[in-house]
Amino acid sequence: MVHFKNYSFKYANSQKLSLSNVELTIDKGDFLLLIGKTGSGKSTLLKQLKPGLVVGDITEGTLDCQTNDQNISYISQFVDNQMITECARDEFNFILENMGYSVDERHMRIAEVASYFGIIELLDLTEQELSGGQKQLINLAAALIVDPDILLLDEPTSQLDPIAAEKLLQMVHKINSELNVTIIMVEHSLERNTFYANRLAIIESGSILLDEKIDTALRKMYQDEFYKNYLSQINRSFMELEFRDETELPLNNRQFSKLLNRHEHEIQYVNNSRKINESKEVLQLKNLSFRFDFESKKIVDEVNFELNKGISYCLVGPNGVGKSTLIKVISQQLKQQSGKIILNGKIVNNKNTNIYQKLFILPQNPALLFVADTVFGEVEFQLKQNNPEITSQQVDLILRQYDLFELKDTSPYDLSGGQQEFLALIIGLIKNPAILFLDEPTKGLDPNMILKLHDLLKDYLATGGILFANSHDLVFATKFNYVSMMFDGKLSKFKRPVDFFKDKFFYTTEINKASRDSFPDALTWNNLKKL
């Protein structure tokens, strides 16, 4: 159905090949997972099947696709950038009208797709009234309403909470298995999607490194020190514990739970949590409340908490419950209707907002922070805010320190989503703020970059900084000192990760779900060790 043969491609504004001698065949009905490190060419390869999405030149080889462009649908990771009309019904009508469908045909198609996706009650809601998961479900329905042969998914769950992500993947699996639509999905995380795919490919430096059936691919990845970090927590733990039981990967939680119970006497729990020392309070919120207009419900509803020096805090919860809004209110991008924000003992008001120069906020769209034409220029600009005498050699040293040197002459706007996220984080760390606010910092980052992120944030905390993050990545959340959940504008009490997660049924890690009968405190694969 699709065949890349010795295929090479470079972008119009680049001298470097983004794809190099790609050999890849995708058959009708395949569900292919395509993974690789940030900037490896995953999205570029995916977009070759929709030429309008990329501007560049094929320098060598051929791409044979037996499906017309109009029969290939594409969904990106950016949930909010895809709907172009006010509501789902208008979106579907707009697509079908442009394809020449009559009024009656449009009505029937919308009825059919809304019923199939279970979104009848969402058809007339405005985009502002929809959660991130609902928007992405509508984006998926819009992609399917034209009856495509191939569905291209570029990290479709990266901005979704765990429950919404699972629902979306189940729907994609249903489309693949019931409608025989070929699926090509670019992903970083393999936490949930390997159950639905039949093949996995790895792209590295623009070339296909591995292309195997799921079981074989996962076992080969475990033998590679770099790619073993991509494995799901369950499959990684299974192989780390060296179970001899004959079973095919991927394992589900029930299968892994049975193995743990069977081998409980061979395993020990390892407590990796760090001791928390008493420290100075820096920021305090008292009865903080915010709503967008007088008649609407409170997005932030009488929130109270304190942030202490050298401590990390993570906020989890569904899409659309106010996590990002809370950060904007704390940072005074939005003004609260009631309550107090006290920073270093002073109540924040219109006269002393300059105290916020000690804060840094990493937004969901990191490109909003960029001011220069190159990565070198971005880092140089930030360093010169503190030291105007900074030299080019010193900038290069910082770029090497953060593994950005090879990208120094690249425009920040030409970086992959994950590279932009990482560059924006480095900009924040260079500023050395008293409090670092991160809004979904792991989106677009491959697992090894997330590990590097952990190390950087650990070093930042060691200097006395404070970290406050929103995240849908529950494994990432386990690395924080304290975790809370936000829902209906309110926050639960901040607790240590083991105390927060172990009594949850849905908002917890897969290891915790599978191991709670035998090792109730285990949250990640490295909490379980073979004796």
Side-chain angles (χ1 to χ4, degrees), residues 16-70:
K16 180 182 176 182
L17 288 176
S18 294
L19 298 174
S20 177
N21 306 120
V22 171
E23 293 281 349
L24 182 66
T25 299
I26 301 160
D27 297 322
K28 175 68 176 174
D30 268 348
F31 191 145
L32 174 69
L33 276 179
L34 182 62
I35 68 168
K37 65 182 181 180
T38 301
S40 61
K42 302 183 300 297
S43 296
T44 301
L45 179 62
L46 193 72
K47 292 174 181 178
Q48 298 304 304
L49 296 172
K50 295 286 286 184
L53 297 175
V54 286
V55 179
D57 301 306
I58 301 168
T59 61
E60 190 177 3
T62 59
L63 167 57
D64 179 22
C65 182
Q66 298 171 13
T67 300
N68 295 328
D69 182 80
Q70 65 182 20

Side-chain angles (χ1 to χ4, degrees), residues 169-193:
L169 288 171
Q170 288 173 355
M171 186 56 71
V172 172
H173 171 61
K174 186 177 180 182
I175 291 164
N176 174 244
S177 59
E178 293 184 1
L179 306 179
N180 202 31
V181 174
T182 302
I183 309 289
I184 309 171
M185 180 186 288
V186 165
E187 276 288 10
H188 281 130
S189 170
L190 297 181
E191 202 60 47
R192 292 174 290 270
N193 42 40

Side-chain angles (χ1 to χ4, degrees), residues 59 90 106 183 190-192 301 309 355 372 408 413:
T59 61
D90 291 345
R106 297 203 302 269
I183 309 289
L190 297 181
E191 202 60 47
R192 292 174 290 270
D301 189 2
K309 195 172 183 180
I355 61 178
K408 63 179 290 188
Y413 302 100

